[in-house]
Amino acid sequence: SNCILYKHAVTGAELMSVHSKDENKTFGAVFRTPVENSTGIPHILEHSVLCGSRKYPIKEPFVELMKSSLNTFLNAFTYPDRTCYPVASCNTRDFYNLVDV
């Protein structure tokens, strides 16, 4: 595999690109969500993000994607210090649709 790490000059956001022979295409957005207490705010925000948007005005876009997508992985996770939104598909068109949502 060939890996390249990019860092945005202004925001410091990082992007890692990994090229391999695997036909499964994957993408994950990970955000730091440190907490000061145990109220569950990052987990609430994770679910709020999955509740649609102006571009996708449906209640649960991930649920709808599960029904019609060729995804090999589609989920979201909240950890004590970060929240992750990974997607994967072997189909290129489906993969870019998942990333767009």
Side-chain angles (χ1 to χ4, degrees):
S1 293
N2 182 25
C3 299
I4 302 172
L5 181 64
Y6 300 93
K7 187 169 185 175
H8 192 273
V10 177
T11 66
E14 295 178 335
L15 172 78
M16 179 181 285
S17 175
V18 181
H19 295 267
S20 73
K21 295 179 182 177
D22 189 341
E23 67 176 335
N24 200 32
K25 298 146 194 61
T26 62
F27 174 82
V30 180
F31 301 93
R32 290 185 182 128
T33 52
V35 296
E36 296 179 9
N37 55 44
S38 60
T39 57
I41 297 295
H43 194 220
I44 293 167
L45 289 174
E46 172 199 323
H47 284 265
S48 297
V49 167
L50 302 177
C51 286
S53 64
R54 283 186 208 115
K55 187 172 182 178
Y56 299 99
I58 57 175
K59 185 177 178 187
E60 297 178 317
F62 266 35
V63 173
E64 295 304 315
L65 283 171
M66 294 291 275
K67 295 177 190 176
S68 61
S69 171
L70 300 171
N71 74 80
T72 54
F73 193 82
L74 177 63
N75 209 333
F77 309 105
T78 300
Y79 294 95
D81 61 341
R82 65 193 177 281
T83 302
C84 312
Y85 301 91
V87 299
S89 179
C90 292
N91 179 285
T92 302
R93 189 175 197 171
D94 185 57
F95 170 71
Y96 284 111
N97 183 54
L98 292 170
V99 170
D100 188 55
V101 174

